């Protein structure tokens, strides 16, 4: 074999091994979670509220709490993030755009607990109680910069010639953005939203200071709210084996939820043309 | 009166001047070809005619560009309306990520040209027929525009431009990425469209300019060297530079 082929084989094998290593770790984590959690998984576990040790109990209220807070956070974070990202990509060439971009980049790197403390000071202390709303706000703050930056990058990938094609037909700028650029970037933007959703669904720290947690089903915005991650935390730090198993099972549910949301998003925003 | 009348147009990209004192008269319902070596400013000039250069930061135009006697660089010009009157077909076909039908319908919809659904369908069909594409796509109007071949995509873009009933159609090397048979179709189309539209076409292909145009303008280094009826340009040009370029002595 000549040296070019040898180099080629080495490079192929190295990258393949790296790829398998990454996927392998993921498979190990997922199977270990399933192995540990599947024994505690049952219908009761999925619908009941937490109970004292030995009396069963589940994560029903935590699932609902996580979904409600994720929904509220997305309702706030997705439109703002997409709007800011679109602004940056279409009009953000000046000093203002540069500043916003820098701030967004910095916020992405800020540890999530900081957002929790921020909302704690700004909302929880002012109102005097932990609440669903405070939790959702903290999550929304985490989502916005992630969605902003991915939206900007994905929107910038839309070819300039496509924009010019629409402008040349007498389309005003705002219609070009709305009718041509955003639809063309949709699946990329969806990826950004998914990243943000997966990130906040797995957040615990910012919720400890804001939504706090709850042992009951709750749908009110001005009361403390349970969440899967905080429930996992509570189960996991307890000294009881039974609760440890519940923590594994809850983790399994959390991962499953992220997977389900991911697949749904992909399907809804799939490329049609 | 000429359809387009340009007087002493200078154009700058930042500090770099790209066009020098261009003056040209383009008559209605004729095909005018712009030829010249790469970077000579012919595309830049074409893009000043519908102010497409406005989208590039730090560009500046000085001088007069009159369309139907109105200066399109007046401060109160409505650029959106201008671009509806002066359509454009680009070098690389640029269909929207929509169906074939919606690509053509888009310009009609945003300009609210149609009265009802049937009228919209009729206009889309007419534009596709005018662009000699209807027979090839009539059975798959709802499928993606990206499924068409390169030549078909370019004719779709022509149909899209025609659908808003422009008065002038600017074409920036519309056939440069196409094979000979697709090129021939586009050229036949240009000659036909002349009956309804004023057409300005930029081309690198000398034979193409000779085949389709009534007049030819030769640009070099940002200057308009010669502008004459195509017949004269290719047989007995006034300028030595033009003759050298056309006969391939440089390029």
């Amino acid at each position: 074999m000549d040296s070019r082929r040898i180099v080629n084989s080495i490079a192929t094998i190295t990258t393949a091994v790296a790829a398998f290593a990454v996927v392998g770790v993921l498979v190990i984590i997922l199977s270990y979670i399933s192995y540990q959690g599947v024994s505690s998984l049952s219908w009761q576990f999925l619908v009941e509220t937490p109970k004292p040790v030995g009396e069963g109990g589940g994560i029903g209220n935590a699932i609902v709490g996580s979904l409600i807070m994720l929904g509220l956070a997305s309702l706030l974070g997705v439109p703002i993030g997409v709007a800011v990202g679109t602004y940056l990509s279409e009009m953000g060439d000046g000093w203002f755009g540069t500043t916003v971009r820098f701030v967004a980049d910095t916020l992405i790197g800020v540890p999530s607990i900081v957002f929790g403390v921020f909302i704690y000071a700004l909302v929880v202390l002012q109102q005097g109680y932990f609440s669903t709303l405070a939790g959702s706000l903290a999550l929304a703050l985490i989502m916005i910069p992630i969605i902003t930056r991915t939206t900007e990058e994905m929107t910038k990938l839309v070819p300039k010639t496509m924009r010019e094609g629409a402008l040349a037909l007498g389309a005003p700028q705002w219609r070009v953005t709305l009718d041509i650029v955003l639809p063309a970037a949709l699946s990329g933007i969806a990826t950004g939203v998914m990243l943000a959703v997966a990130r906040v669904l797995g957040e615990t720290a910012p919720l400890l200071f804001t939504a706090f947690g709850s042992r009951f089903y709750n749908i009110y915005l001005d009361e403390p709210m349970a969440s899967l991650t905080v429930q996992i935390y509570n189960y996991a730090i307890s000294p009881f084996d039974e609760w440890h198993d519940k923590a594994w099972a809850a983790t399994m549910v959390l991962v499953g939820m992220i997977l389900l949301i991911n697949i749904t998003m992909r399907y809804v925003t799939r490329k049609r043309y | 009166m000429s359809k387009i009348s340009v007087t002493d147009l200078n154009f700058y990209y930042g500090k770099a001047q790209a066009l020098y004192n261009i003056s040209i008269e383009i008559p209605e319902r004729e095909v005018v070809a712009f030829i010249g070596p790469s970077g000579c400013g012919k595309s830049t000039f074409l893009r000043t005619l519908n102010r497409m250069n406005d989208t590039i930061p730090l560009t500046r135009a000085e001088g007069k560009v009159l369309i139907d006697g109105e200066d399109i660089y007046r401060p109160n010009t409505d650029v959106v309306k201008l671009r509806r009157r002066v359509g454009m077909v680009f070098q690389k076909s640029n269909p929207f990520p929509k169906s074939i039908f919606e690509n053509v319908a888009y310009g009609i919809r945003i300009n609210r040209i149609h009265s009802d659904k049937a009228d919209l369908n009729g206009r889309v069909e007419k534009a596709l027929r005018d662009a000699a594409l209807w027979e090839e796509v009539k059975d798959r109007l709802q499928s993606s525009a990206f499924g068409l071949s390169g030549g078909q995509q370019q004719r779709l873009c022509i149909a899209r431009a025609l659908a808003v009933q422009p008065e002038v159609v600017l074409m920036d090397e519309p056939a440069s990425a196409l094979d000979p048979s697709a090129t021939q179709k586009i050229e036949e189309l240009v000659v036909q469209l002349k009956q309804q539209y004023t057409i300005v076409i930029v081309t690198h292909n000398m034979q193409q300019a000779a085949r389709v145009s009534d007049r030819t303008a030769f640009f070099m280094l940002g200057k308009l060297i010669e502008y004459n009826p195509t017949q004269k340009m290719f047989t007995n040009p006034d300028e030595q530079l033009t003759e050298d370029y056309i006969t391939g002595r440089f390029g």
Side-chain angles (χ1 to χ4, degrees):
Chain A
M1 279 211 298
D2 58 66
S3 66
R4 181 179 63 78
R5 283 169 202 280
I6 296 172
V7 172
N8 183 42
S9 323
I10 294 174
T12 308
I13 292 168
T14 316
T15 46
V17 168
F20 276 115
V22 171
V23 176
V25 169
L26 186 68
V27 169
I28 291 171
I29 293 175
L30 289 181
S31 17
Y32 192 68
I33 291 171
S34 312
Y35 168 71
Q36 293 281 355
V38 76
S39 59
S40 306
L41 214 53
S42 64
W43 179 245
Q44 277 79 21
F45 180 73
L46 289 178
V47 296
E48 282 180 1
T49 54
K51 285 180 184 162
V53 187
E55 293 180 26
I59 53 168
N61 60 332
I63 294 177
V64 172
S66 273
L67 287 178
I68 288 181
M69 285 194 284
L70 176 70
L72 279 177
S74 304
L75 226 51
L76 205 64
V78 174
I80 296 179
V82 170
V84 178
T86 307
Y87 170 81
L88 287 182
S89 129
E90 304 300 296
M91 282 157 282
D93 289 329
W95 64 269
F96 183 66
T98 312
T99 314
V100 173
R101 196 172 294 118
F102 178 75
V103 169
D105 277 340
T106 312
L107 286 179
I108 288 178
V110 169
S112 56
I113 195 164
V114 175
F115 291 100
V117 175
F118 176 68
I119 293 296
Y120 177 76
L122 210 72
V123 179
V124 178
L125 284 185
Q126 299 303 315
Q127 294 192 306
Y129 49 83
F130 296 110
S131 67
T132 311
L133 188 68
S136 308
L137 281 175
L139 296 186
L141 285 186
I142 297 170
M143 292 180 87
I144 289 170
I146 302 175
I147 297 175
T148 295
R149 291 296 273 135
T150 40
T151 299
E152 183 193 358
E153 294 307 324
M154 292 303 143
T155 311
K156 271 186 177 162
L157 288 181
V158 177
K160 190 163 174 280
T161 53
M162 212 184 262
R163 296 163 215 257
E164 288 187 338
L167 285 173
L169 293 173
Q173 181 67 48
W174 67 273
R175 291 217 59 162
V176 177
T177 305
L178 229 55
D179 298 343
I180 308 297
V181 178
L182 286 180
L186 185 63
S187 67
I189 293 172
T191 305
V193 171
M194 271 321 304
L195 281 174
V197 163
R199 164 92 192 270
V200 299
L201 208 53
E203 284 294 350
T204 321
L207 294 177
L208 284 172
F209 295 95
T210 52
F212 186 66
S214 162
R215 302 181 51 79
F216 313 104
Y217 272 105
N218 170 32
I219 51 162
Y220 299 107
L221 296 188
D222 56 352
E223 284 178 17
M225 178 66 110
S227 62
L228 264 174
T229 45
V230 171
Q231 193 59 52
I232 291 169
Y233 174 75
N234 288 336
Y235 277 142
I237 60 165
S238 76
F240 316 113
D241 282 343
E242 186 204 334
W243 277 19
H244 293 165
D245 289 346
K246 287 189 191 300
W248 284 112
T251 308
M252 207 175 142
V253 171
L254 180 62
V255 173
M257 269 167 59
I258 292 174
L259 195 69
L260 205 67
I261 295 174
N262 208 327
I263 292 170
T264 314
M265 262 312 260
R266 287 265 164 257
Y267 180 75
V268 172
T269 60
R270 72 192 180 284
K271 276 212 164 67
R272 288 183 182 81
Y273 295 112
Chain B
M1 190 178 67
S2 310
K3 183 74 184 171
I4 304 174
S5 163
V6 180
T7 323
D8 286 332
L9 181 75
N10 289 289
F11 187 83
Y12 306 83
Y13 290 107
K15 283 185 180 135
Q17 187 163 4
L19 296 175
Y20 297 85
N21 298 316
I22 309 284
S23 296
I24 196 170
E25 302 284 324
I26 295 173
E28 192 160 14
R29 284 165 212 222
E30 284 199 7
V31 178
V32 173
F34 290 175
I35 60 171
S38 295
C40 68
K42 53 195 188 307
S43 284
T44 299
F45 180 50
L46 190 76
R47 291 165 59 96
T48 59
L49 301 180
N50 66 346
R51 291 187 54 175
M52 197 48 87
N53 286 325
D54 289 15
T55 61
I56 304 168
L58 302 175
T59 54
R60 189 159 52 90
E62 285 167 4
K64 274 207 172 102
V65 179
L66 308 184
I67 294 183
D68 289 336
E70 270 188 63
D71 187 355
I72 62 169
Y73 279 93
R74 265 180 340 188
N76 58 345
T77 301
D78 185 340
V79 182
V80 168
K81 276 197 188 127
L82 167 72
R83 290 185 187 140
R84 200 196 128 180
R85 291 171 57 206
V86 184
M88 189 163 201
V89 176
F90 297 82
Q91 179 171 8
K92 205 171 157 294
S93 60
N94 53 354
F96 303 136
K98 296 174 184 288
S99 68
I100 294 169
F101 182 89
E102 283 303 325
N103 259 276
V104 183
Y106 184 69
I108 304 174
R109 283 191 207 279
I110 53 168
N111 290 301
R112 296 203 193 87
I113 299 172
H114 60 302
S115 53
D116 55 26
K117 184 82 178 114
D119 185 35
L120 178 69
N121 292 342
R123 285 172 189 274
V124 169
E125 177 175 342
K126 179 169 187 310
L128 284 168
R129 281 190 192 281
D130 286 349
L133 189 61
W134 174 255
E135 290 304 323
E136 291 160 63
V137 301
K138 63 181 177 188
D139 298 322
R140 49 169 174 153
L141 289 174
Q142 296 310 323
S143 56
S144 167
F146 293 128
L148 299 172
S149 74
Q152 289 173 325
Q153 285 192 16
Q154 192 61 298
R155 275 179 285 146
L156 180 68
C157 292
I158 294 176
R160 190 174 73 185
L162 299 181
V164 298
Q165 299 174 311
E167 297 154 33
V168 180
V169 180
L170 309 175
M171 297 184 163
D172 191 355
E173 299 185 50
S176 67
L178 303 181
D179 69 23
S181 76
T183 303
Q184 194 194 344
K185 278 195 180 138
I186 303 269
E187 286 181 11
E188 285 166 2
L189 197 57
V190 169
V191 175
Q192 269 184 23
L193 293 176
K194 187 169 78 168
Q195 291 163 4
Q196 296 176 62
Y197 307 93
T198 305
I199 295 173
V200 185
I201 180 168
V202 167
T203 178
H204 263 122
N205 183 328
M206 231 65 70
Q207 287 78 23
Q208 187 171 69
R211 279 192 299 262
V212 303
S213 69
D214 301 301
R215 291 159 197 268
T216 302
F218 171 56
F219 290 82
M220 222 178 91
L221 299 172
K223 296 191 176 84
L224 177 59
I225 306 294
E226 182 171 350
Y227 179 48
N228 263 320
T230 302
Q231 183 88 31
K232 175 171 168 52
M233 198 83 163
F234 282 89
T235 50
N236 182 26
D238 290 333
E239 302 288 331
Q240 185 61 40
L241 268 176
T242 314
E243 189 177 334
D244 290 350
Y245 181 72
I246 288 173
T247 54
R249 237 167 275 169
F250 72 92

